[in-house]
Amino acid sequence: LLQQLTGYKIGRDPRAWRFWMLKHRGEGSDFRAAEVPGAGEEEETISYHGIPILGDKVVFVLDSSGSMETPLPENPGLTRGARAVQELVGLLPRLPERAAFDVVFFESEVHSFSRKLVPQSDEALAEIRAWLERHRFRGGTNLHDGLARAFEHEGVEEIFLLSDGEPTVGELVDGPRIAARLQRWNRWRNVRVNTISFGAPPEARDFLARLAKDHDGVCRTIW
């Protein structure tokens, strides 16, 4: 019924519906999907590590600490970091033409492809693919500053945070204090925050799950 009333092809997750409801409320617009070319056709559901992408303005925040060089149990020839990049390289060309995105890597330092959202284009895709594939994994886990960089992007609607461990360096390394800071950043913005726990220990998994729950997102645990 909600799909018929709003035109959105969203599934049964109430958090997803709440995300779009709050977005329209903040904009002062009717709770209806925008009319776009091909809107009468069924759009492909695009996801990152199994989490559907609901926003058009997306920032991917990836852990690039040294521990991401750990080989995957099911494929020792591939590391956690290489798998995260591989998935992203395959995903970005499938984003809709109206999408805009950026990618942030965090280790001891923070590196981003751009300091603003990049519109989808063949040129941008070629540049970001080369940038992704030459990135190296090293250093600590500056998760706080990686998230801070993502929230600097004007108009961001959705964030995907992938990490394999607890914060170890940066302005804040205490999980509850990072969670409180994130609540403050997102108080009026309603950015959906999804998290991927990539081989993280129990405490780090719980922390990532809390971030997603607090911000209407989904947490996916990969072994």
Side-chain angles (χ1 to χ4, degrees):
L1 179 61
L2 281 170
Q3 289 178 346
Q4 293 174 9
L5 290 172
T6 67
Y8 277 109
K9 302 301 182 183
I10 302 174
R12 296 176 179 271
D13 186 349
R15 293 170 298 183
W17 286 103
R18 184 172 185 271
F19 168 83
W20 287 105
M21 180 190 72
L22 291 173
K23 181 175 184 293
H24 281 281
R25 181 181 295 171
E27 294 173 347
S29 58
D30 292 335
F31 188 9
R32 286 199 56 81
E35 293 293 334
V36 296
E41 304 170 4
E42 194 73 25
E43 284 195 359
E44 177 189 12
T45 300
I46 302 170
S47 63
Y48 183 57
H49 286 289
I51 302 176
I53 298 174
L54 303 180
D56 288 335
K57 308 294 189 294
V58 189
V59 179
F60 300 90
V61 184
L62 309 184
D63 188 340
S64 63
S65 61
S67 59
M68 290 292 287
E69 287 283 35
T70 303
L72 301 179
E74 73 278 12
N75 184 358
L78 195 66
T79 65
R80 295 172 182 171
R83 181 72 186 90
V85 168
Q86 184 184 79
E87 179 100 358
L88 196 55
V89 166
L91 162 70
L92 292 177
R94 296 168 51 221
L95 293 176
E97 291 183 3
R98 62 183 180 274
F101 61 88
D102 194 17
V103 179
V104 175
F105 280 117
F106 63 91
E107 26 102 352
S108 297
E109 303 294 331
V110 176
H111 312 272
S112 53
F113 175 71
S114 176
R115 297 300 288 261
K116 60 183 181 181
L117 293 166
V118 179
Q120 178 83 310
S121 70
D122 291 342
E123 182 181 359
L125 289 171
E127 289 179 6
I128 200 165
R129 176 170 185 162
W131 183 79
L132 285 167
E133 292 179 342
R134 66 173 177 262
H135 191 77
R136 296 294 175 262
F137 296 84
R138 59 193 174 211
T141 306
N142 192 350
L143 187 146
H144 170 272
D145 291 2
L147 281 173
R149 178 71 59 85
F151 271 90
E152 289 175 5
H153 290 70
E154 185 178 352
V156 60
E157 298 171 345
E158 190 162 19
I159 290 171
F160 283 79
L161 168 66
L162 181 150
S163 182
D164 71 344
E166 297 179 84
T168 59
V169 296
E171 183 179 335
L172 290 178
V173 297
D174 178 67
R177 293 181 66 194
I178 293 175
R181 182 74 59 88
L182 187 55
Q183 288 275 19
R184 192 176 76 193
W185 293 336
N186 206 21
R187 185 177 181 184
W188 305 113
R189 297 180 65 176
N190 297 319
V191 177
R192 183 177 189 242
V193 179
N194 305 291
T195 58
I196 298 117
S197 169
F198 209 153
E203 241 182 270
R205 284 202 306 269
D206 292 346
F207 168 63
L208 292 170
R210 175 186 172 183
L211 293 185
K213 182 179 179 181
D214 287 349
H215 300 278
D216 296 317
V218 174
C219 178
R220 166 102 192 272
T221 299
I222 302 177
W223 47 266

